[in-house]
Structures are given as structure tokens and as C-alpha cells.
Amino acid sequence: MEYHIQENTERYSEGVMKKKHIIISVGCFLLIIIGGPIIINELYKSNKGYVTVWNGSDMLSYFGAILGTVATILGAIATIWVLNRTITFSLKQLRYERYIQKQGNKWANIENLFVCALIHAQPLTLNSIYLSSISNQSTMIGCAELQKYIYDAKGAFDNIVGTIEDSDLPKVEKLLDALRKINDINSQQANSFFDLLMSYHMISNNSDESARTIGSLALLEKQKAISAKIDKIHSNDYLALLNLKKECFKEIYQNIDDEAKRILDQDKSGGRR
């Protein structure tokens, strides 16, 4: 806060000094233009003192030529100054845009990795896998899909950690912790469904119809309890994770924009920090 106040104060002081210099310079230039001919006229009007071989009109012509030369030189200097300012601004703008593009692309790729990880971390997928396995009488396939669900979620998480630079980890540390937590929770529920499918497979192969009926009802109650828990995980943890991801990257992109503007302002102030 103190830095910004000091910086704004310095910029204001520099602006005031520049205005004073411009006013003084313009005033002196006008004084020379207006005062020069008057002084020459007064010196030659009396026709006294040091006598020259040239008259007043010659002196005025000479004075006009000098002013014309000075004006041409000043015009050239002004043209060079404007051209330099234009080139300098273009270079600053190019630096600004390159920073925005580089950082924006980097974090867009990281965000896509998080989107992929969040898709694999969707807890409701577990309910779909289990119910599909039961309805299709394919318990072994269901067990394989549950294992794949766990490995895919872990792989997507590892891709994020392996891609992000160590210096950038603090920016998404909270989001990574939340993602790791929900993956662990989902893995527990997937293992519960896995055990349930194995039990269902054993019960379905039981020759005793009565035992199959009782066992199926027991498994149904366990399945309802697990599904209810998964619904709760989705409503609380997963939706909160989606919102956290949105807020996290909103802040990251805002910081990129702020840093780019700071770089541009720093260039305008001559690199002063």
C-alpha cells in the first residue's frame, strides 16, 4: 500500500515538473520570437552607436533565417522523439501481450488437466458402474471398471502434479488437496462396491433359492447405504470442489492480468520498482 502511494506521488511530482518545463520552454521561445524583432528594430531605429555595414532589414532577415533553422532542427528532433516513443510503446505492448499469451496458455493447459481429473473424480459414476453391472449380470466386468475408475482418477491427478512447476504449486495447493481428498473418498466407495459385487457374484451362484433371495435383499440394503453416501459426497464435497476450481483459476487469471499491467506500468516508469 505504501509502495503504491509513494509511486503515485512520484508520478504526480514528475508530471508537475514536466508541465513547468514545457510552460517555461514555450514562454522563452515566444519571448525570442516576439522580442527579437522588437529589440532589433529599437537598436537600428536610433542609428547611433556602433555602425554596421548591414541595416535593420538585413538583421531581421538573418534573425528569421536563424529561427527557421532552429524550427527545422526542433521539428526533426520532435519527429525522432515521436518515432522513438511509438517504437518504445510497441515494444512494451508486445512484451505485455507475450506475457499474457505465455501465462494464459500455460494455465489453460493446467486447467484442462484439472477438468479431466474432475471428470474422473465424479462420484456418481460409481453408482452407474454398480447398477449397470447388476442389471447386465456382469459382476466381473463391473469389478474391472471399478478398478479402472480408481486408476484413472489417480493417473489424472498425477498428470497435474507432474505438469505443474514447483513455483506454481502454491497457487493450486488447496485445490490439489481437495482433489486428493475426494479421490481417496471415492476409492473407499469403489472398494465397497467391489466387495458388494463379489458378494453378489457368490450369492448368484448359490443353488439355494431362499439363500439367494435373503442374500440379495441384504446386498440391496448395503447398496442403498453406499449410494446414499455417494450422493452426499457429490452434493457436498464434489460440488464444493467444482466451485473451488472455478474460484482458484479465476484468481490465477486475474493475477496474470494484474502482473502484466504491473510490467507495463514498470516499463512506463523506466523500470523503477
Side-chain angles (χ1 to χ4, degrees):
M1 184 66 178
E2 292 179 356
Y3 164 74
H4 289 298
I5 294 175
Q6 181 181 0
E7 184 180 28
N8 291 335
T9 303
E10 291 177 356
R11 289 184 180 180
Y12 175 76
S13 300
E14 289 179 359
V16 172
M17 291 300 296
K18 286 181 180 179
K19 289 181 180 179
K20 287 183 179 180
H21 291 157
I22 292 174
I23 292 174
I24 293 174
S25 300
V26 172
C28 291
F29 188 69
L30 290 176
L31 183 62
I32 292 173
I33 293 176
I34 298 173
I38 295 176
I39 294 173
I40 293 173
N41 181 68
E42 292 299 324
L43 290 175
Y44 280 88
K45 185 172 64 174
S46 60
N47 199 22
K48 294 179 180 180
Y50 180 72
V51 179
T52 62
V53 295
W54 57 82
N55 54 31
S57 60
D58 294 332
M59 193 62 186
L60 286 174
S61 298
Y62 175 75
F63 180 74
I66 293 296
L67 284 181
T69 302
V70 171
T72 301
I73 294 174
L74 290 177
I77 293 174
T79 301
I80 295 172
W81 181 82
V82 170
L83 181 61
N84 179 66
R85 293 282 292 182
T86 302
I87 295 174
T88 302
F89 177 79
S90 298
L91 292 175
K92 292 174 183 177
Q93 191 68 24
L94 181 62
R95 183 184 176 194
Y96 168 85
E97 292 174 355
R98 281 180 176 175
Y99 179 84
I100 288 287
Q101 183 179 12
K102 180 181 178 181
Q103 292 296 316
N105 289 341
K106 180 181 75 172
W107 283 104
N109 291 334
I110 294 174
E111 184 178 13
N112 288 335
L113 292 178
F114 269 101
V115 170
C116 180
L118 288 170
I119 291 173
H120 288 302
Q122 168 60 266
L124 295 181
T125 303
L126 294 171
N127 283 336
S128 299
I129 293 174
Y130 181 83
L131 294 175
S132 177
S133 301
I134 297 299
S135 61
N136 296 328
Q137 298 293 315
S138 54
T139 54
M140 293 298 101
I141 294 177
C143 289
E145 289 182 353
L146 288 171
Q147 289 296 316
K148 184 177 183 298
Y149 173 88
I150 295 175
Y151 291 139
D152 286 345
K154 185 179 184 302
F157 181 87
D158 291 341
N159 282 340
I160 297 174
V161 176
T163 301
I164 298 180
E165 299 175 2
D166 292 341
S167 58
D168 291 328
L169 280 175
K171 299 176 183 178
V172 293
E173 185 175 7
K174 186 177 180 181
L175 182 58
L176 280 173
D177 289 341
L179 181 59
R180 183 187 294 109
K181 177 183 177 182
I182 200 169
N183 279 343
D184 291 341
I185 295 174
N186 289 338
S187 294
Q188 295 173 6
Q189 305 312 311
N191 288 327
S192 296
F193 269 147
F194 183 91
D195 294 339
L196 213 59
L197 284 176
M198 293 302 296
S199 298
Y200 181 84
H201 179 73
M202 295 175 61
I203 291 173
S204 62
N205 291 329
N206 195 325
S207 59
D208 188 343
E209 184 176 352
S210 177
R212 288 202 307 270
T213 302
I214 296 174
S216 297
L217 290 175
L219 291 180
L220 181 60
E221 292 301 318
K222 291 181 180 180
Q223 181 263 321
K224 288 181 179 179
I226 297 173
S227 295
K229 189 180 294 185
I230 289 175
D231 288 340
K232 187 176 180 181
I233 294 171
H234 176 268
S235 299
N236 296 335
D237 301 274
Y238 187 74
L239 293 183
L241 179 59
L242 292 179
N243 186 64
L244 178 61
K245 177 260 175 188
K246 180 177 67 175
E247 294 299 323
C248 179
F249 278 90
K250 180 181 179 181
E251 181 179 358
I252 287 172
Y253 290 131
Q254 183 61 52
N255 288 339
I256 291 174
D257 190 53
D258 292 342
E259 178 64 15
K261 290 178 180 178
R262 188 194 66 78
I263 291 174
L264 193 60
D265 290 340
Q266 178 182 334
D267 287 341
K268 289 179 179 178
S269 61
R272 185 181 62 256
R273 296 183 64 88

